[in-house]
Every structure is written in structure tokens, then in C-alpha cells.
Amino acid sequence: ILYFGTDAQKQKYIPGLTDGTLMGAYCLTEPGSGSDALGAKTKAVLNAEGTHYVLNGQKMWITNAGFADVFIVFAKIDGEQFTGFILDKDTPGLSLGNEEHKMGIKGSSTRQVFLTDALVPKENVLGEIGKGHLIAFNVLNIGRIKLAAACLGGAKATATQSVKYANERVQFKLPISKFGAIRYKLAQQAIRMYAVESAIYRAGEDIYRKEQELLASGLGTNEALLGAAREFAVECAMLKVEGSEVLDYVTDEGVQIYGGYGFSADYPMDRNYRDSRINRIFEGTNEINRMLAVDMILKKGLKGEIDLMGPAQAVQQELMSIPSMGESDDSAFAAEKKAIANLKKAVLMVAGTAVQKYMNSLAKEQEVLMNIADMAIKTYTAESTLLRVEKEIAAKGEEALSRQLDMARVYLSDAIDLVEKSGREAIASMTEGDEQRLMSMGLKRFTKPDLFNVKDARRRVAAGLIEANEYCY
Ligand SMILES: Cc1cc2nc3c(=O)[nH]c(=O)nc-3n(C[C@H](O)[C@H](O)[C@H](O)COP(=O)(O)OP(=O)(O)OC[C@H]3O[C@@H](n4cnc5c(N)ncnc54)[C@H](O)[C@@H]3O)c2cc1C
């Protein structure tokens, strides 16, 4: 309503929705159309008097349904034009199914919404007729970065519970936090969280700056925010994936740190574990978001908004030449920056080859798209982490940030391995013979890690957590 509503709609609903006297629900999914949201069957037909739309259909998995006052419902006018509508809870013909029996997030209400000749005043059409997809998908862009931040919040709580428990639980006469295997887990939880947090801050700042730029160019507040989020839709999709997967990782290791008590419904990890899992499913499943991210990158390339093929070809050229030893660079973080630049080359090499090989049938090569998405996500997150640490070191000095620098380096080391694995899989499936040999050689060159003592770095990161007895980065 805020982004697409008329002034009258905003005046009617926004004050109540913002002060909490009104609750909202968002009704896109149907029993037969989840990921394929535009395959919705709910239909709207204008009545003979031309005053109301008559809606018929069924919406599934609607969060807040049980306590919502206002429902945004997507339906196809005459079965064709996908359009948004605002329905009040007492709309004649709107009724609710029973509460779903869910694995987790049991504090939320999730019910079906039935529309049986639901009578909706014409003025309750939201946005333009036939442009419902703009509402549905633009709102999801913003929802995705917020979901990543929410996941991080959950992960922080879980990490704090994990370290507290590890400090309290004694086995073999020692707190389990003294054991290297447990320290590894505590450190790795923190490293992945710090990394995704860095990427969230980076994308958040990028969106904010773009919004300011669009405002200065004369756009209204809502158009500016939507436009800015659209500009960084790739990042929002990548963050949704990484944020929800970091939360699941942190929670899974939380269960492990708690041992048998992690499996007990009387201890907190049980609920954390069940609550975290949904985040990989809603706001677009992680499979859909991975494909979306790559699809958007490739489309930007085809539209000329980013130069994809140029760098991809330059990388191919570079592969044909003998690697230069280069001049030694002793500027700050030169090795890490070079490693990240190389990861980008690996992504471009694989993405460029995929476009050349498959052209329009690339959408059918989902495994390759997943490989590219994983490579891009790890590269973006690793770079964001290093940029953040570099910026903070400039302000506070290296000593104050030594553990954060450890985290950036361990994350980079892990990212290199993952980029190498995904790249190898993609290259093996797309190429053969000399081309394959050349590309494998390139991948090895671009994912050659500097040997770094990750064990000691993780121990230092864990020591900070153990000392603070909470998540402290
Ligand atoms: C607790 C909860 C709350 C929710 N809240 C809301 C809400 O408030 N409003 C709302 O509108 N919806 C809501 N949803 C729905 C949610 O967004 C959908 O469940 C989600 O989009 C997936 O749709 P689906 O369940 O139909 O799965 P499907 O689309 O059937 O997907 C099943 C599997 O197939 C994969 N898949 C599907 N299509 C493809 C493809 N083209 N290529 C590769 N893999 C594919 C998916 O990634 C998934 O792994 C909620 C769901 C839950 C469980």
C-alpha cells in the first residue's frame, strides 16, 4: 500500500498498519502455485454494476491470516490480468482455513484464505490492473534483504546460547569450550555470521545511496526506495540465500554443541532448529533465488548494464598467456584483494562460458546456474567482509580488529575452496578436450589459495567468544 497505493488507500490503512492497530497479510501463494506465483488461479471479475470485483479462489500458507485486518490478495482479472487487491477482513466471501500444523514458527498464524464470491470495491484495486507482478516481486526484493538481517538476528541469539553452554558444560573435567573441535564450531558460526553481516551492511548502504541518488533526481520517496532495491535485486536474492543458510548452519552446530540436550525439546536448540528451517523456503525458495540471481546478472549483461562478456573474454585471453609473476605488491591486504579479484575472474569465466555454450537454453541447465550462484554468493560475501574489515581497520587500527581480520581470512579461504568446487563441477559438465584442460588450468590459477593457518585463526576467534561468553563480533 505504501509503495503502490492511492492517496486514499494510504490514508485509510497506513496509520493503523504502522501503529500496530491493524495487522496485514500478504496472499500470493496458492495450493497449486508456490514458486510459480504467476500461475495463480484466483480469479476476479467485475460485477454487472461495475462497482465491485468478485474474487474466487484459494490462498495457501498465509502468514498472519488468523489475526490480520487487511489482506493484500493477488488475483487474475478475467483469468488474465494479474492484479493486486486490498481486502478488509470482514469482506463478504472471505473466510479462513484452520491453523496449519507447522514444524516451527508456531507463534505465527498460518492459514488458508478462501475467497468465495468475495465482493471487493473497485477502488480497492492496488496499483495498476495487470501489473500485480510488479507489486509481488518488488516487495520481495526488500523482503529478502530484511529476511537475511532477521536470520542474522536469530543466528546471533543461537551463537550466544552455544558459547554459554560450551563454557558451562563440563566433560572430561573440562568445559567443552576448551576442546578444539568445539572451538572450531564456535569460530565457524561467528565467521559465517560476521561475513554475511558484512554483506548485508554493504547492500544496505548501496541501496540507501541509490535511494538518495534517485530522490535527488526528483523521484518520490517510494519510487526511490523501490528503484534502489530493484537496482540491487541480485544482492537481495544472494543475501536471502546466504542469510538463511548461515542461520541453518549456526543452528545445526548449536544442536551439536548441546549434544543430547540439543535434541531435547526442553532446551532452546530444539525450537531454534525448527524455527530456522522455514527461511530457506519462503520469500522465494533458495533454489529460486539462486536461479533468479544468476538470471538477473546475465540479463544485465545482455542489456549492456554490466559488461559480462568483455571480462569473460579477457579472462579467456589471460588463460592463453603465460602467467606473469607480476610485481610484488606489499600494500595492505594485497594478497587478499588479489585472491578476490581472481575469484571474480573464476565466476566470469564460468558464467561467460555457460552463456556461450547454452545461449537461450541456459535456463534448462539448472545445475550450472546453481554452481554460478554459489560462486557469486561466496565471492560477494568474501569481498564484503574484507571491505568491512579494511574500513574498520582504517578507523580503529589493526590490533583492535585482529580477530575480524582472522574471520575475513578464514572466510576467504573457505570461499576459495567452494568456488573451486562449484567451478570444477560446471566446467566438467560444459566442456571437453582442450577447452576443458584450459579452463581447469584457469580455475586452478584463479582459486590458488595462499597457505594460511586457519586452525590458529579459528582458535583466536573462538577465544574472543569464550572470553566474552556471548557472540561479540
Ligand atoms: C510458514 C509459511 C509461511 C508462509 N507465508 C506466506 C505468506 O504470508 N504469503 C504467501 O503468499 N506465501 C507464504 N508462504 C508460501 C511460500 O512462499 C511458499 O511455500 C514457497 O514460495 C514455495 O512454494 P511451494 O511451497 O508451493 O513449493 P514449490 O514451488 O512446489 O517447490 C517445491 C520444491 O521445488 C523447487 N522448485 C520449484 N520450482 C522450481 C524450478 N522452476 N526449478 C527448480 N526448482 C524448483 C523449490 O525450490 C522447492 O524445493 C509461506 C509458507 C510457509 C511454509
Side-chain angles (χ1 to χ4, degrees):
I1 295 171
L2 183 64
Y3 298 131
F4 297 94
T6 61
D7 284 344
Q9 289 168 346
K10 286 181 198 166
Q11 271 163 22
K12 182 169 175 195
Y13 294 107
I14 297 295
L17 286 166
T18 47
D19 73 13
T21 46
L22 293 180
M23 297 280 276
Y26 175 86
C27 312
L28 178 64
T29 306
E30 298 187 3
S33 63
S35 302
D36 180 18
L38 296 181
K41 290 209 174 71
T42 299
K43 199 171 166 184
V45 177
L46 193 60
N47 65 3
E49 298 79 14
T51 56
H52 288 74
Y53 281 97
V54 182
L55 268 62
N56 279 289
Q58 189 180 347
K59 295 290 172 179
M60 182 86 202
W61 303 117
I62 303 308
T63 301
N64 276 358
F67 23 77
D69 305 284
V70 187
F71 295 76
I72 303 294
V73 175
F74 293 91
K76 285 183 177 161
I77 295 181
D78 300 330
E80 300 281 338
Q81 294 170 295
F82 192 70
T83 304
F85 295 87
I86 307 171
L87 273 67
D88 295 316
K89 73 169 173 205
D90 51 11
T91 299
L94 185 154
S95 61
L96 302 178
N98 293 330
E99 281 294 340
E100 300 291 346
H101 298 292
K102 301 189 298 269
M103 177 195 289
I105 58 165
K106 297 191 182 197
S108 82
S109 166
T110 312
R111 296 168 74 167
Q112 291 197 55
V113 174
F114 299 108
L115 303 154
T116 314
D117 290 332
L119 217 51
V120 184
K122 215 169 85 173
E123 53 275 18
N124 280 25
V125 167
L126 181 62
E128 286 178 49
I129 286 176
K131 297 277 171 70
H133 61 286
L134 293 181
I135 305 175
F137 298 143
N138 275 306
V139 166
L140 285 177
N141 284 338
I142 298 170
R144 285 174 185 147
I145 185 169
K146 289 199 291 192
L147 181 138
C151 284
L152 181 66
K156 283 185 178 178
T158 302
T160 287
Q161 287 165 333
S162 302
V163 68
K164 279 194 194 320
Y165 186 82
N167 277 339
E168 280 164 19
R169 175 71 177 166
V170 173
Q171 287 292 282
F172 303 97
K173 299 196 174 77
L174 286 173
I176 59 170
S177 60
K178 294 265 185 221
F179 301 131
I182 297 293
R183 287 179 180 205
Y184 172 95
K185 292 184 194 304
L186 295 172
Q188 205 60 8
Q189 284 179 323
I191 289 162
R192 292 196 59 182
M193 286 159 59
Y194 185 78
V196 76
E197 183 175 65
S198 309
I200 294 168
Y201 276 135
R202 178 186 185 183
E205 170 90 12
D206 282 340
I207 292 172
Y208 174 74
R209 286 207 181 146
K210 186 73 196 175
E211 186 190 356
Q212 298 305 308
E213 190 190 310
L214 294 176
L215 281 172
S217 77
L219 283 191
T221 322
N222 303 332
E223 290 88 349
L225 178 54
L226 279 180
R230 202 177 312 123
E231 178 86 12
F232 292 95
V234 174
E235 286 80 353
C236 291
M238 294 199 298
L239 285 173
K240 193 273 168 181
V241 172
E242 184 69 2
S244 57
E245 294 184 2
V246 166
L247 175 60
D248 270 0
Y249 175 83
V250 168
T251 314
D252 187 70
E253 288 294 50
V255 171
Q256 199 65 19
I257 290 165
Y258 268 66
Y261 299 91
F263 202 66
S264 162
D266 296 329
Y267 282 75
M269 286 304 149
D270 162 69
R271 178 180 162 190
N272 297 359
Y273 191 73
R274 287 183 291 99
D275 282 358
S276 67
R277 189 60 181 82
I278 184 59
N279 292 289
R280 280 161 55 196
I281 296 169
F282 56 22
E283 298 287 320
T285 66
N286 283 14
E287 293 73 33
I288 295 292
N289 271 290
R290 279 186 160 89
M291 288 187 288
L292 205 63
V294 177
D295 186 55
M296 288 187 288
I297 294 173
L298 298 182
K299 281 207 177 102
K300 278 179 184 236
L302 289 173
K303 277 196 215 153
E305 287 173 21
I306 54 169
D307 183 11
L308 194 63
M309 296 316 285
Q313 276 154 9
V315 167
Q316 307 262 11
Q317 294 284 323
E318 190 183 330
L319 290 181
M320 310 288 278
S321 62
I322 299 162
S324 85
M325 289 301 119
E327 307 207 338
S328 77
D329 181 352
D330 49 13
S331 63
F333 313 117
E336 289 82 2
K337 285 180 186 169
K338 183 159 181 238
I340 286 166
N342 277 338
L343 291 184
K344 288 185 187 173
K345 287 181 186 173
V347 180
L348 286 171
M349 179 179 77
V350 172
T353 306
V355 172
Q356 280 167 6
K357 292 268 167 215
Y358 298 116
M359 307 293 279
N360 293 336
S361 62
L362 181 55
K364 292 194 191 124
E365 299 296 325
Q366 290 193 346
E367 297 89 335
V368 174
L369 293 178
M370 299 283 163
N371 288 146
I372 299 171
D374 286 337
M375 296 171 83
I377 291 169
K378 293 297 166 196
T379 303
Y380 178 71
T381 311
E383 184 182 46
S384 305
T385 315
L386 185 67
L387 287 171
R388 176 183 180 185
V389 173
E390 193 183 10
K391 194 171 169 186
E392 291 205 42
I393 285 179
K396 299 178 199 155
E398 192 161 330
E399 208 183 311
L401 269 295
S402 66
R403 283 168 182 160
Q404 285 81 351
L405 184 55
D406 279 331
M407 293 200 277
R409 286 182 169 145
V410 176
Y411 190 87
L412 178 58
S413 169
D414 287 344
I416 290 172
D417 287 347
L418 291 164
V419 168
E420 194 275 332
K421 178 178 180 290
S422 296
R424 183 162 30 86
E425 281 183 19
I427 290 168
S429 76
M430 293 190 293
T431 58
E432 49 192 23
D434 283 348
E435 188 187 17
Q436 189 170 92
R437 273 188 285 282
L438 186 70
M439 287 192 68
S440 307
M441 207 176 71
L443 186 69
K444 278 202 189 98
R445 197 189 289 179
F446 298 143
T447 55
K448 206 169 91 200
D450 275 343
L451 218 50
F452 170 60
N453 188 343
V454 287
K455 183 196 83 178
D456 283 358
R458 288 197 182 100
R459 282 193 175 186
R460 290 190 290 269
V461 172
L465 294 160
I466 291 164
E467 195 184 305
N469 200 27
E470 63 180 358
Y471 179 76
C472 58
Y473 297 112

